[in-house]
Amino acid sequence: MYRWEITRAALEQRVFAIVRGESYEKATAAADTLLGAGVTSLEISLTTPFALEAISTLRRETGDDSVIGAGTVLDGASARLAVDAGARFLVSPSLDAEVIRTGHRYGVPVFPGVASPTEMVRALELGADALKLFPASAHSPRWLRDVRAALPQAPVLPTGGVTVEDAPEWIAAGAAACGMGSALTEGDRETVTKRVTELLQRLEDAVPHHAR
């Protein structure tokens, strides 16, 4: 798949899950629950022990049915290891040119972290495929709406503090998708499935008409 095709698939549901566990077992179990609940795109944070092995396992088990990426990718070396492990996309809390270059060298989209209009423009100049607004809790949907009035070409992914309740507000304000961690994963399988099903519908309903 081309980078743009992977990006589209990763953000198609307007939410991508963030899995950050205390162990390989907990991370893969959380990922299995989310995938079983209907989430098609998730990242395994590299802060998770044996994260690369978890990525490889999930890629092998799910094939093309899901889009598995790597999160908290801080440098070029980590980016290369994540790509070798099978990550389909790379996400970072910061803006690092080498992470973008490394991902793109191997046809993998990169969503770097940004926190201001200046960083957004810089990330776009570096070729970022989407922009992770981090932490989203430091901003608001209204702030994003104001920024996108000046930068409508910026595909923004609010992440960090996004809740099930306010995720639709971010989408209505023009976000391409939201990154969500514990807000999605808390509870048993039945609870997570119900939450995911309801959230996906609410996000679909929140999309501005001109963007449908």
Side-chain angles (χ1 to χ4, degrees), residues 150-193:
L151 300 173
Q153 74 276 26
V156 180
L157 315 175
T159 307
V162 176
T163 67
V164 171
E165 289 73 31
D166 66 17
E169 296 178 34
W170 286 103
I171 297 299
C178 293
M180 300 176 67
S182 58
L184 278 183
T185 58
E186 289 178 341
D188 57 24
R189 186 175 292 268
E190 182 178 348
T191 300
V192 173
T193 299

Side-chain angles (χ1 to χ4, degrees), residues 114-192:
V114 296
S116 69
T118 298
E119 291 184 348
M120 288 181 180
V121 172
R122 178 63 178 149
L124 291 172
E125 291 172 345
L126 290 171
D129 300 276
L131 315 177
K132 172 180 174 174
L133 177 63
F134 182 79
S137 56
H139 303 284
S140 70
R142 181 176 178 179
W143 180 90
L144 177 61
R145 184 178 284 109
D146 289 344
V147 169
R148 290 199 76 255
L151 300 173
Q153 74 276 26
V156 180
L157 315 175
T159 307
V162 176
T163 67
V164 171
E165 289 73 31
D166 66 17
E169 296 178 34
W170 286 103
I171 297 299
C178 293
M180 300 176 67
S182 58
L184 278 183
T185 58
E186 289 178 341
D188 57 24
R189 186 175 292 268
E190 182 178 348
T191 300
V192 173

Side-chain angles (χ1 to χ4, degrees), residues 5-27:
E5 293 178 296
I6 299 171
T7 301
R8 175 181 288 179
L11 306 180
E12 184 176 15
Q13 291 183 315
R14 298 181 179 84
V15 64
F16 62 94
I18 300 164
V19 176
R20 181 180 289 108
E22 298 175 357
S23 67
Y24 168 91
E25 291 78 15
K26 288 184 178 180

Side-chain angles (χ1 to χ4, degrees), residues 4-210:
W4 65 267
E5 293 178 296
I6 299 171
T7 301
R8 175 181 288 179
L11 306 180
E12 184 176 15
Q13 291 183 315
R14 298 181 179 84
V15 64
F16 62 94
I18 300 164
V19 176
R20 181 180 289 108
E22 298 175 357
S23 67
Y24 168 91
E25 291 78 15
K26 288 184 178 180
T28 52
D32 286 341
T33 297
L34 288 165
L35 294 170
V39 171
T40 58
S41 176
L42 62 83
E43 67 172 72
I44 302 293
S45 170
L46 294 190
T47 58
T48 300
F50 301 102
L52 298 174
E53 287 82 351
I55 291 168
S56 295
T57 297
L58 291 167
R59 276 298 312 274
R60 185 170 61 251
E61 292 179 349
T62 64
D64 293 330
D65 293 335
S66 58
V67 188
I68 308 299
T72 325
V73 181
L74 301 182
D75 49 43
S78 299
R80 177 60 195 269
L81 289 171
V83 170
D84 287 346
R88 302 285 295 281
F89 62 92
L90 306 177
V91 186
S92 178
S94 58
L95 177 56
D96 184 90
E98 189 56 33
V99 171
I100 297 174
R101 280 196 293 267
T102 301
H104 288 181
R105 188 177 299 130
Y106 301 103
V108 175
V110 182
F111 312 150
V114 296
S116 69
T118 298
E119 291 184 348
M120 288 181 180
V121 172
R122 178 63 178 149
L124 291 172
E125 291 172 345
L126 290 171
D129 300 276
L131 315 177
K132 172 180 174 174
L133 177 63
F134 182 79
S137 56
H139 303 284
S140 70
R142 181 176 178 179
W143 180 90
L144 177 61
R145 184 178 284 109
D146 289 344
V147 169
R148 290 199 76 255
L151 300 173
Q153 74 276 26
V156 180
L157 315 175
T159 307
V162 176
T163 67
V164 171
E165 289 73 31
D166 66 17
E169 296 178 34
W170 286 103
I171 297 299
C178 293
M180 300 176 67
S182 58
L184 278 183
T185 58
E186 289 178 341
D188 57 24
R189 186 175 292 268
E190 182 178 348
T191 300
V192 173
T193 299
K194 183 173 185 292
R195 180 185 299 128
V196 167
T197 301
E198 293 177 352
L199 176 63
L200 293 179
Q201 185 58 57
R202 291 179 64 211
L203 295 180
E204 177 67 27
D205 294 341
V207 178
H209 286 290
H210 63 79

